[in-house]
Amino acid sequence: MVSLLLNFPLVSALAAIIIAQVIKVPIRFIFTREFAPGLIFGTGSMPSSHSAAVSALTTAIGITEGVSS
């Protein structure tokens, strides 16, 4: 279990998903003045949590393993 928490690429991808999901609420509120906390658990809309996870995972792997290949 501890080795999972020390896995930098995994932790960064999960953090990116959480941040992307949570930030949807204030973005919606800023643009529409509508408070919609259900966006945290819903699918769709921007920012895309899937894209955030892939970007974070790719960057973390590049940081830990290098980008020479």
Side-chain angles (χ1 to χ4, degrees):
M1 180 67 178
V2 175
S3 62
L4 281 177
L5 297 176
L6 297 176
N7 187 335
F8 177 64
L10 178 63
V11 171
S12 65
L14 291 175
I17 291 171
I18 292 168
I19 291 168
Q21 286 298 110
V22 169
I23 204 167
K24 289 178 184 185
V25 175
I27 289 174
R28 170 73 64 92
F29 183 75
I30 289 169
F31 286 107
T32 66
R33 298 290 184 214
E34 173 190 353
F35 183 65
L39 289 174
I40 293 174
F41 303 106
T43 59
S45 78
M46 291 297 287
S48 170
S49 58
H50 297 93
S51 297
V54 171
S55 298
L57 181 61
T58 303
T59 302
I61 290 172
I63 289 170
T64 58
E65 300 296 324
V67 293
S68 61
S69 63

